[in-house]
Structures are given as structure tokens and as C-alpha cells.
mmCIF file of all heavy atoms in Angstrom:
data_model
loop_
_atom_site.group_PDB
_atom_site.id
_atom_site.type_symbol
_atom_site.label_atom_id
_atom_site.label_comp_id
_atom_site.label_asym_id
_atom_site.label_seq_id
_atom_site.Cartn_x
_atom_site.Cartn_y
_atom_site.Cartn_z
ATOM 1 N N LEU A 1339 108.270 117.820 84.384
ATOM 2 C CA LEU A 1339 109.267 117.701 83.347
ATOM 3 C C LEU A 1339 108.512 117.060 82.040
ATOM 4 O O LEU A 1339 108.825 117.440 80.945
ATOM 5 C CB LEU A 1339 110.458 116.714 83.824
ATOM 6 C CG LEU A 1339 111.267 117.393 84.891
ATOM 7 C CD1 LEU A 1339 112.376 116.302 85.199
ATOM 8 C CD2 LEU A 1339 111.969 118.595 84.490
ATOM 9 N N LEU A 1340 107.705 115.972 82.309
ATOM 10 C CA LEU A 1340 107.034 115.331 81.073
ATOM 11 C C LEU A 1340 106.157 116.396 80.421
ATOM 12 O O LEU A 1340 106.112 116.451 79.169
ATOM 13 C CB LEU A 1340 106.275 114.149 81.618
ATOM 14 C CG LEU A 1340 106.991 112.883 81.918
ATOM 15 C CD1 LEU A 1340 106.089 111.845 82.651
ATOM 16 C CD2 LEU A 1340 107.567 112.300 80.706
ATOM 17 N N SER A 1341 105.525 117.168 81.348
ATOM 18 C CA SER A 1341 104.490 118.125 80.639
ATOM 19 C C SER A 1341 105.269 119.326 79.910
ATOM 20 O O SER A 1341 104.665 119.861 78.963
ATOM 21 C CB SER A 1341 103.760 118.778 81.851
ATOM 22 O OG SER A 1341 104.429 119.668 82.648
ATOM 23 N N ARG A 1342 106.548 119.485 80.227
ATOM 24 C CA ARG A 1342 107.322 120.434 79.456
ATOM 25 C C ARG A 1342 108.255 119.749 78.393
ATOM 26 O O ARG A 1342 109.153 120.449 77.926
ATOM 27 C CB ARG A 1342 108.108 121.271 80.509
ATOM 28 C CG ARG A 1342 107.415 122.041 81.531
ATOM 29 C CD ARG A 1342 106.522 123.024 80.866
ATOM 30 N NE ARG A 1342 106.051 124.067 81.813
ATOM 31 C CZ ARG A 1342 104.899 123.952 82.633
ATOM 32 N NH1 ARG A 1342 104.219 122.802 82.501
ATOM 33 N NH2 ARG A 1342 104.546 124.942 83.414
ATOM 34 N N GLU A 1343 107.961 118.451 78.236
ATOM 35 C CA GLU A 1343 108.821 117.639 77.337
ATOM 36 C C GLU A 1343 110.315 117.771 77.558
ATOM 37 O O GLU A 1343 111.176 117.865 76.592
ATOM 38 C CB GLU A 1343 108.462 118.169 75.869
ATOM 39 C CG GLU A 1343 107.118 117.844 75.508
ATOM 40 C CD GLU A 1343 106.774 118.295 74.111
ATOM 41 O OE1 GLU A 1343 107.741 118.976 73.380
ATOM 42 O OE2 GLU A 1343 105.723 117.943 73.400
ATOM 43 N N LYS A 1344 110.675 117.738 78.928
ATOM 44 C CA LYS A 1344 112.077 117.831 79.321
ATOM 45 C C LYS A 1344 112.526 116.363 79.828
ATOM 46 O O LYS A 1344 113.564 116.227 80.395
ATOM 47 C CB LYS A 1344 112.280 118.863 80.435
ATOM 48 C CG LYS A 1344 112.125 120.348 79.765
ATOM 49 C CD LYS A 1344 112.325 121.335 80.730
ATOM 50 C CE LYS A 1344 112.249 122.754 80.151
ATOM 51 N NZ LYS A 1344 112.511 124.007 81.040
ATOM 52 N N ALA A 1345 111.552 115.580 79.777
ATOM 53 C CA ALA A 1345 111.860 114.116 80.156
ATOM 54 C C ALA A 1345 111.022 113.327 79.387
ATOM 55 O O ALA A 1345 109.824 113.680 78.839
ATOM 56 C CB ALA A 1345 111.576 113.946 81.650
ATOM 57 N N PHE A 1346 111.229 111.877 79.353
ATOM 58 C CA PHE A 1346 110.519 110.960 78.556
ATOM 59 C C PHE A 1346 109.782 109.874 79.341
ATOM 60 O O PHE A 1346 109.012 109.254 78.745
ATOM 61 C CB PHE A 1346 111.555 110.296 77.499
ATOM 62 C CG PHE A 1346 112.290 111.173 76.650
ATOM 63 C CD1 PHE A 1346 113.619 111.396 76.851
ATOM 64 C CD2 PHE A 1346 111.709 111.832 75.687
ATOM 65 C CE1 PHE A 1346 114.309 112.269 76.139
ATOM 66 C CE2 PHE A 1346 112.416 112.724 74.774
ATOM 67 C CZ PHE A 1346 113.705 112.861 75.010
ATOM 68 N N LYS A 1347 110.071 109.983 80.594
ATOM 69 C CA LYS A 1347 109.413 108.968 81.518
ATOM 70 C C LYS A 1347 109.525 109.504 82.987
ATOM 71 O O LYS A 1347 110.242 110.299 83.300
ATOM 72 C CB LYS A 1347 110.100 107.573 81.444
ATOM 73 C CG LYS A 1347 111.617 107.618 81.935
ATOM 74 C CD LYS A 1347 112.242 106.312 81.691
ATOM 75 C CE LYS A 1347 113.704 106.445 82.280
ATOM 76 N NZ LYS A 1347 114.519 107.176 81.379
ATOM 77 N N ASN A 1348 108.564 108.967 83.741
ATOM 78 C CA ASN A 1348 108.566 109.257 85.266
ATOM 79 C C ASN A 1348 108.890 108.119 85.986
ATOM 80 O O ASN A 1348 107.973 107.135 86.263
ATOM 81 C CB ASN A 1348 107.252 109.822 85.618
ATOM 82 C CG ASN A 1348 107.353 110.244 86.996
ATOM 83 O OD1 ASN A 1348 108.225 110.159 87.865
ATOM 84 N ND2 ASN A 1348 106.351 111.167 87.417
ATOM 85 N N PRO A 1349 110.189 107.762 86.381
ATOM 86 C CA PRO A 1349 110.531 106.497 87.022
ATOM 87 C C PRO A 1349 109.785 106.313 88.469
ATOM 88 O O PRO A 1349 109.845 105.345 88.946
ATOM 89 C CB PRO A 1349 112.031 106.650 87.109
ATOM 90 C CG PRO A 1349 112.323 108.010 87.024
ATOM 91 C CD PRO A 1349 111.322 108.621 86.206
ATOM 92 N N PHE A 1350 109.600 107.507 88.978
ATOM 93 C CA PHE A 1350 109.030 107.415 90.371
ATOM 94 C C PHE A 1350 107.558 106.822 90.352
ATOM 95 O O PHE A 1350 107.052 106.411 91.302
ATOM 96 C CB PHE A 1350 108.912 108.815 91.010
ATOM 97 C CG PHE A 1350 110.318 109.278 91.367
ATOM 98 C CD1 PHE A 1350 111.157 109.919 90.498
ATOM 99 C CD2 PHE A 1350 110.853 108.957 92.560
ATOM 100 C CE1 PHE A 1350 112.321 110.370 90.749
ATOM 101 C CE2 PHE A 1350 112.056 109.477 92.929
ATOM 102 C CZ PHE A 1350 112.944 110.076 92.092
ATOM 103 N N GLU A 1351 106.909 106.768 89.263
ATOM 104 C CA GLU A 1351 105.613 106.338 89.189
ATOM 105 C C GLU A 1351 105.502 104.691 89.147
ATOM 106 O O GLU A 1351 104.551 104.068 89.456
ATOM 107 C CB GLU A 1351 104.833 106.709 87.941
ATOM 108 C CG GLU A 1351 104.428 108.098 88.050
ATOM 109 C CD GLU A 1351 103.509 108.506 86.790
ATOM 110 O OE1 GLU A 1351 103.528 107.996 85.696
ATOM 111 O OE2 GLU A 1351 102.720 109.544 86.873
ATOM 112 N N LEU A 1352 106.746 104.159 88.888
ATOM 113 C CA LEU A 1352 106.976 102.687 88.673
ATOM 114 C C LEU A 1352 107.532 102.031 89.966
ATOM 115 O O LEU A 1352 107.794 100.886 90.053
ATOM 116 C CB LEU A 1352 107.744 102.376 87.517
ATOM 117 C CG LEU A 1352 107.368 102.964 86.117
ATOM 118 C CD1 LEU A 1352 108.330 102.817 85.115
ATOM 119 C CD2 LEU A 1352 105.965 102.393 85.744
ATOM 120 N N VAL A 1353 107.736 102.849 90.969
ATOM 121 C CA VAL A 1353 108.349 102.402 92.228
ATOM 122 C C VAL A 1353 107.367 102.516 93.422
ATOM 123 O O VAL A 1353 106.723 103.535 93.531
ATOM 124 C CB VAL A 1353 109.667 103.143 92.594
ATOM 125 C CG1 VAL A 1353 110.232 102.785 93.824
ATOM 126 C CG2 VAL A 1353 110.612 103.101 91.509
ATOM 127 N N PHE A 1354 107.309 101.318 94.090
ATOM 128 C CA PHE A 1354 106.320 101.300 95.166
ATOM 129 C C PHE A 1354 106.733 102.211 96.328
ATOM 130 O O PHE A 1354 107.948 102.173 96.822
ATOM 131 C CB PHE A 1354 106.070 99.997 95.798
ATOM 132 C CG PHE A 1354 105.248 99.148 94.814
ATOM 133 C CD1 PHE A 1354 105.738 98.087 94.127
ATOM 134 C CD2 PHE A 1354 103.759 99.433 94.804
ATOM 135 C CE1 PHE A 1354 104.869 97.301 93.316
ATOM 136 C CE2 PHE A 1354 102.991 98.627 94.086
ATOM 137 C CZ PHE A 1354 103.425 97.676 93.270
ATOM 138 N N LYS A 1355 105.961 103.093 96.896
ATOM 139 C CA LYS A 1355 106.343 103.980 98.054
ATOM 140 C C LYS A 1355 106.264 103.166 99.331
ATOM 141 O O LYS A 1355 105.332 102.364 99.453
ATOM 142 C CB LYS A 1355 105.581 105.263 98.017
ATOM 143 C CG LYS A 1355 105.681 106.184 96.741
ATOM 144 C CD LYS A 1355 104.832 107.230 96.735
ATOM 145 C CE LYS A 1355 104.866 108.080 95.507
ATOM 146 N NZ LYS A 1355 104.723 107.320 94.230
ATOM 147 N N PRO A 1356 107.150 103.565 100.306
ATOM 148 C CA PRO A 1356 106.912 102.760 101.471
ATOM 149 C C PRO A 1356 105.593 103.018 102.218
ATOM 150 O O PRO A 1356 105.083 104.180 102.218
ATOM 151 C CB PRO A 1356 108.173 103.319 102.440
ATOM 152 C CG PRO A 1356 108.540 104.511 101.771
ATOM 153 C CD PRO A 1356 108.160 104.415 100.229
ATOM 154 N N LYS A 1357 105.061 101.996 102.743
ATOM 155 C CA LYS A 1357 103.780 102.217 103.337
ATOM 156 C C LYS A 1357 103.918 102.753 104.697
ATOM 157 O O LYS A 1357 104.763 102.344 105.507
ATOM 158 C CB LYS A 1357 102.972 100.807 103.531
ATOM 159 C CG LYS A 1357 102.418 100.357 102.187
ATOM 160 C CD LYS A 1357 101.628 99.123 102.476
ATOM 161 C CE LYS A 1357 101.083 98.613 101.035
ATOM 162 N NZ LYS A 1357 100.203 97.348 101.333
ATOM 163 N N VAL A 1358 103.110 103.692 105.188
ATOM 164 C CA VAL A 1358 103.268 104.427 106.473
ATOM 165 C C VAL A 1358 102.041 104.116 107.309
ATOM 166 O O VAL A 1358 100.911 104.258 106.741
ATOM 167 C CB VAL A 1358 103.400 105.829 106.382
ATOM 168 C CG1 VAL A 1358 103.491 106.473 107.676
ATOM 169 C CG2 VAL A 1358 104.507 106.219 105.522
ATOM 170 N N ASP A 1359 102.199 103.700 108.500
ATOM 171 C CA ASP A 1359 101.055 103.334 109.355
ATOM 172 C C ASP A 1359 100.426 104.605 109.742
ATOM 173 O O ASP A 1359 100.966 105.580 110.198
ATOM 174 C CB ASP A 1359 101.434 102.526 110.639
ATOM 175 C CG ASP A 1359 102.040 101.065 110.233
ATOM 176 O OD1 ASP A 1359 101.661 100.646 109.350
ATOM 177 O OD2 ASP A 1359 102.869 100.558 111.029
ATOM 178 N N LYS A 1360 99.085 104.701 109.567
ATOM 179 C CA LYS A 1360 98.289 105.850 109.984
ATOM 180 C C LYS A 1360 98.268 106.037 111.436
ATOM 181 O O LYS A 1360 97.784 105.077 112.112
ATOM 182 C CB LYS A 1360 97.018 105.916 109.393
ATOM 183 C CG LYS A 1360 96.904 106.179 107.857
ATOM 184 C CD LYS A 1360 95.444 106.322 107.355
ATOM 185 C CE LYS A 1360 95.498 106.672 105.817
ATOM 186 N NZ LYS A 1360 94.094 106.852 105.289
ATOM 187 N N ARG A 1361 98.792 107.104 111.956
ATOM 188 C CA ARG A 1361 98.700 107.420 113.351
ATOM 189 C C ARG A 1361 97.597 108.222 113.676
ATOM 190 O O ARG A 1361 97.342 109.280 112.925
ATOM 191 C CB ARG A 1361 100.012 108.182 113.806
ATOM 192 C CG ARG A 1361 101.318 107.315 113.726
ATOM 193 C CD ARG A 1361 102.402 108.144 114.036
ATOM 194 N NE ARG A 1361 102.339 108.610 115.510
ATOM 195 C CZ ARG A 1361 103.125 109.515 115.948
ATOM 196 N NH1 ARG A 1361 104.131 109.950 115.238
ATOM 197 N NH2 ARG A 1361 102.950 109.956 117.263
ATOM 198 N N LEU A 1362 96.732 107.853 114.619
ATOM 199 C CA LEU A 1362 95.652 108.692 115.088
ATOM 200 C C LEU A 1362 96.125 109.891 115.664
ATOM 201 O O LEU A 1362 97.090 109.875 116.529
ATOM 202 C CB LEU A 1362 94.738 107.743 115.984
ATOM 203 C CG LEU A 1362 94.123 106.407 115.545
ATOM 204 C CD1 LEU A 1362 93.208 105.807 116.641
ATOM 205 C CD2 LEU A 1362 93.134 106.907 114.275
ATOM 206 N N PRO A 1363 95.340 110.940 115.355
ATOM 207 C CA PRO A 1363 95.767 112.286 116.005
ATOM 208 C C PRO A 1363 95.766 112.294 117.339
ATOM 209 O O PRO A 1363 94.843 111.698 117.980
ATOM 210 C CB PRO A 1363 94.591 113.276 115.394
ATOM 211 C CG PRO A 1363 94.079 112.498 114.220
ATOM 212 C CD PRO A 1363 94.185 111.099 114.567
ATOM 213 N N ASP A 1364 96.685 112.948 118.019
ATOM 214 C CA ASP A 1364 96.866 113.165 119.514
ATOM 215 C C ASP A 1364 95.999 114.333 119.795
ATOM 216 O O ASP A 1364 96.089 115.305 119.283
ATOM 217 C CB ASP A 1364 98.116 113.194 119.875
ATOM 218 C CG ASP A 1364 98.417 113.072 121.412
ATOM 219 O OD1 ASP A 1364 97.394 112.614 122.017
ATOM 220 O OD2 ASP A 1364 99.512 113.469 121.884
ATOM 221 N N PHE A 1365 95.097 114.292 120.867
ATOM 222 C CA PHE A 1365 94.306 115.476 121.260
ATOM 223 C C PHE A 1365 94.173 115.418 122.694
ATOM 224 O O PHE A 1365 94.415 114.488 123.412
ATOM 225 C CB PHE A 1365 93.008 115.353 120.550
ATOM 226 C CG PHE A 1365 92.097 114.163 120.915
ATOM 227 C CD1 PHE A 1365 91.051 114.154 121.798
ATOM 228 C CD2 PHE A 1365 92.302 112.842 120.302
ATOM 229 C CE1 PHE A 1365 90.410 113.246 122.157
ATOM 230 C CE2 PHE A 1365 91.732 111.802 120.687
ATOM 231 C CZ PHE A 1365 90.656 111.895 121.532
ATOM 232 N N LEU A 1366 93.591 116.672 123.191
ATOM 233 C CA LEU A 1366 93.399 116.806 124.646
ATOM 234 C C LEU A 1366 91.946 116.368 125.030
ATOM 235 O O LEU A 1366 90.934 116.726 124.203
ATOM 236 C CB LEU A 1366 93.608 118.300 125.180
ATOM 237 C CG LEU A 1366 95.035 118.862 124.753
ATOM 238 C CD1 LEU A 1366 94.993 120.327 125.075
ATOM 239 C CD2 LEU A 1366 96.045 118.115 125.573
ATOM 240 N N SER A 1367 91.735 115.874 126.162
ATOM 241 C CA SER A 1367 90.276 115.517 126.705
ATOM 242 C C SER A 1367 89.680 116.836 127.223
ATOM 243 O O SER A 1367 90.462 117.780 127.398
ATOM 244 C CB SER A 1367 90.440 114.558 127.742
ATOM 245 O OG SER A 1367 91.011 115.049 128.948
ATOM 246 N N PRO A 1368 88.432 116.878 127.324
ATOM 247 C CA PRO A 1368 87.766 118.071 127.918
ATOM 248 C C PRO A 1368 88.248 118.510 129.282
ATOM 249 O O PRO A 1368 88.493 119.631 129.612
ATOM 250 C CB PRO A 1368 86.343 117.733 127.957
ATOM 251 C CG PRO A 1368 86.051 116.653 126.822
ATOM 252 C CD PRO A 1368 87.487 115.934 126.790
ATOM 253 N N VAL A 1369 88.707 117.403 130.027
ATOM 254 C CA VAL A 1369 89.135 117.592 131.504
ATOM 255 C C VAL A 1369 90.528 118.291 131.327
ATOM 256 O O VAL A 1369 90.782 119.297 132.055
ATOM 257 C CB VAL A 1369 89.234 116.410 132.112
ATOM 258 C CG1 VAL A 1369 90.011 116.607 133.484
ATOM 259 C CG2 VAL A 1369 87.960 115.799 132.530
#
């Protein structure tokens, strides 16, 4: 919207996003 001049600000850039714990990928063993 900013790039098209249809908004004057991006409020989402000023809000901290919730931190997500990184989960290790689940995989199969060779067996």
C-alpha cells in the first residue's frame, strides 16, 4: 500500500511479532 501511495504508514512494522520456538525437523532413521 505504501509503494502504491494508498497508505501513509505501516503499523505492523512497529509491533513486535510473537516469538516462536524453533522446532527441529522430525525425520526417519535409516532403520
Side-chain angles (χ1 to χ4, degrees):
L1339 294 178
L1340 283 171
S1341 70
R1342 299 299 195 272
E1343 298 184 348
K1344 294 182 178 180
F1346 304 104
K1347 61 183 180 298
N1348 186 344
F1350 288 88
E1351 286 185 341
L1352 304 174
V1353 177
F1354 286 107
K1355 299 174 180 62
K1357 290 185 177 180
V1358 179
D1359 295 331
K1360 286 189 176 180
R1361 293 178 58 189
L1362 293 179
D1364 193 14
F1365 63 99
L1366 302 176
S1367 70
V1369 172

